[in-house]
């Protein structure tokens, strides 16, 4: 049986630095066996021409639209063609990176990997990596709702152009980003320099409690020659945010399995289209293992992870990143699932 190919979805608004990141990776890993799928908005591609090439590097362009809408069928066909060419030996590759156009909502792209049978069987979505232009993200969030969606879906956020911002601006943007997505680690990068281990093959979609939830991270250093380091982000400030998409955290103790199952079913049925990403690690009454929950819109998975240790107090936490949600109603309903 052939092992599924790991896929990284690279997203971020126009000018955030996706091509710069890719070129830095390709220049320093020219021997990588990689295919990059470039989604261009328009009949003639530009970004694909800007990427470095190598003997084992292939660039495939999906043009004349956005993979999240008008050419989703073409995107699926391109993926299937790549798989056929790999299976025949015509185009061997070990890494697949999909760079979405800066105007794309990642949600429908993510769903494609779970709903299309051939892709589901042969490809394994590894992570959604979102680049964020620290200098311009405030204006982009004010004017383009898709910029918030790109942040919301991220498993890891790469912050660019921090050297062009003063500390006050940077801190304000970090706080705003954190209100949209408080689960994704954030790393500051310069000129595309980022260790591959920070954004490739990080297994963010694995049903594993070790990476199901993070506390949200804030950069504390970012030199031109090295990425920033992580530390837990401080509590979100209380000032109101103009962003429709926000992260909501639901906490409880031990839960009743039937009650939490019914709660999740109601959430997905009533609000699934507005639940962009959600992850949880739940303590179930009578079950020694953690129950891991992960979903995108109405596509959700459940699995048991590691066992609670004797020194731990079982605790349930569910993070929902969504829009237009009746948060207080959901918070009460979540609390009522306690055993």
């Amino acid at each position: 049986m052939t092992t599924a190919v790991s896929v990284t979805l690279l997203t971020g608004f126009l000018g955030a630095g996706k091509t710069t990141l890719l070129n830095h990776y390709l220049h320093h890993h020219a021997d990588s066996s990689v295919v990059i799928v470039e989604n261009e908005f328009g009949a003639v591609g530009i970004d694909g021409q800007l990427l470095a090439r190598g003997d084992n590097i292939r660039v495939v362009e999906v043009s004349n639209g956005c993979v999240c809408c008008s050419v989703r069928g073409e995107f699926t066909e391109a993926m299937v063609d790549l798989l056929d060419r790999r299976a025949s030996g015509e185009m061997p590759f070990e890494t697949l990176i999909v760079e979405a156009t800066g105007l794309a909502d990642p949600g429908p792209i993510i769903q494609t990997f779970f709903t299309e049978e051939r892709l589901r069987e042969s490809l394994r979505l590894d992570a959604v990596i979102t680049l964020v232009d620290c200098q311009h993200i405030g204006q982009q969030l004010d004017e383009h709702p898709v910029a918030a969606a790109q942040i919301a879906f991220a498993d890891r956020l790469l912050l660019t152009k921090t050297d062009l911002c003063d500390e006050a601006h940077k801190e304000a943007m970090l706080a705003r980003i954190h209100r949209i997505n408080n689960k994704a680690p954030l790393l500051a990068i310069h000129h595309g320099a980022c260790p591959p281990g920070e954004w490739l093959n990080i297994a963010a979609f694995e049903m594993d409690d070790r990476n199901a939830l993070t506390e949200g991270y804030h950069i504390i250093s970012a030199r031109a020659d090295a990425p920033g380091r992580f530390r837990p982000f401080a509590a979100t400030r209380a000032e109101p945010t103009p962003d429709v998409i926000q992260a909501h955290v639901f906490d409880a103790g031990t839960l009743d399995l039937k009650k939490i199952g019914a709660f999740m079913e109601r959430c997905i049925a009533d609000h699934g289209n507005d639940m962009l990403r959600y992850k949880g690690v739940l303590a179930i009454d009578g079950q020694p293992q953690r129950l891991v929950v992960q979903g995108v819109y109405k596509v959700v998975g459940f699995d048991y992870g590691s066992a609670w240790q004797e020194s731990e107090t079982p605790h349930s936490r569910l993070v929902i990143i969504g829009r237009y949600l009746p948060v207080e109603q959901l918070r009460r309903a979540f609390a009522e699932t306690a055993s």
Side-chain angles (χ1 to χ4, degrees):
M1 181 177 178
T2 304
T3 303
V5 176
S6 175
V7 181
T8 298
L9 174 59
L10 196 63
T11 184
F13 204 73
L14 300 169
K18 298 184 294 297
T19 301
T20 302
L21 173 70
L22 283 174
N23 266 329
H24 186 278
Y25 170 73
L26 295 176
H27 278 302
H28 290 82
H29 300 85
D31 58 344
S32 297
S33 178
V34 59
V35 167
I36 298 171
V37 177
E38 282 277 335
N39 177 216
E40 299 283 5
F41 208 90
V44 179
I46 297 295
D47 285 353
Q49 301 174 34
L50 303 178
L51 289 174
R53 298 296 208 278
D55 293 339
N56 299 321
I57 297 167
R58 304 287 189 275
V59 178
V60 176
E61 295 185 9
V62 180
S63 301
N64 200 30
C66 167
V67 294
C68 68
C69 47
S70 60
V71 297
R72 184 169 171 182
E74 183 185 345
F75 174 71
T76 300
E77 291 174 4
M79 294 292 99
V80 171
D81 180 63
L82 283 174
L83 290 172
D84 288 342
R85 294 166 74 180
R86 182 175 187 267
S88 69
E90 177 187 349
M91 185 185 289
F93 58 90
E94 301 304 324
T95 302
L96 180 58
I97 302 172
V98 177
E99 181 189 354
T101 174
L103 300 174
D105 181 338
I109 307 173
I110 296 168
Q111 284 185 306
T112 302
F113 289 101
F114 295 100
T115 57
E116 298 292 338
E117 184 176 0
R118 178 74 186 280
L119 305 191
R120 187 173 63 246
E121 293 176 349
S122 303
L123 300 175
R124 176 181 60 82
L125 185 59
D126 180 73
V128 179
I129 308 297
T130 300
L131 278 80
V132 180
D133 176 348
C134 188
Q135 184 181 22
H136 299 107
I137 189 59
Q139 180 180 354
Q140 292 165 355
L141 288 170
D142 290 341
E143 299 176 358
H144 304 280
V146 72
Q150 292 168 349
I151 293 173
F153 279 106
D155 295 296
R156 187 150 299 176
L157 293 156
L158 303 182
L159 194 66
T160 65
K161 305 181 186 178
T162 55
D163 55 320
L164 303 178
C165 307
D166 59 34
E167 286 301 314
H169 177 85
K170 185 166 65 177
E171 288 297 322
M173 294 304 100
L174 287 169
R176 190 167 179 183
I177 291 167
H178 184 251
R179 285 192 291 267
I180 297 171
N181 186 338
N182 62 2
K183 69 173 181 59
L186 187 150
L187 191 64
I189 66 172
H190 291 269
H191 308 297
C194 186
E198 298 290 358
W199 64 283
L200 292 173
N201 297 311
I202 61 176
F205 276 85
E206 291 294 310
M207 295 298 292
D208 188 331
D209 54 87
R210 289 174 298 178
N211 61 28
L213 287 178
T214 59
E215 292 296 332
Y217 286 77
H218 172 26
I219 56 169
I220 58 173
S221 69
R223 306 189 308 277
D225 60 343
R229 294 178 285 122
F230 295 145
R231 73 165 168 80
F233 198 102
T236 304
R237 300 167 191 165
E239 68 262 25
T241 173
D243 302 307
V244 168
I245 298 173
Q246 297 186 43
H248 307 285
V249 181
F250 302 85
D251 286 296
T254 303
L255 309 181
D256 179 274
L257 181 59
K258 290 185 178 179
K259 290 180 180 179
I260 189 62
F263 169 82
M264 293 303 303
E265 287 180 0
R266 288 196 303 272
C267 282
I268 294 167
D270 297 342
H271 311 293
N273 291 333
D274 291 315
M275 292 166 55
L276 280 65
R277 286 294 298 271
Y278 44 103
K279 291 188 175 185
V281 174
L282 310 178
I284 303 301
D285 185 33
Q287 171 55 249
Q289 295 175 289
R290 296 165 169 83
L291 179 62
V292 182
V293 180
Q294 183 167 191
V296 175
Y297 292 133
K298 295 187 176 184
V299 179
V300 61
F302 300 86
D303 199 6
Y304 282 106
S306 62
W308 297 98
Q309 301 301 308
E310 291 184 6
S311 59
E312 295 179 300
T313 300
H315 179 83
S316 299
R317 169 166 290 181
L318 176 67
V319 176
I320 301 177
I321 299 176
R323 58 197 171 199
Y324 310 117
L325 299 176
V327 178
E328 293 309 314
Q329 175 186 328
L330 294 178
R331 200 176 302 283
R332 289 193 298 270
F334 182 75
E336 291 171 358
T337 67
S339 58

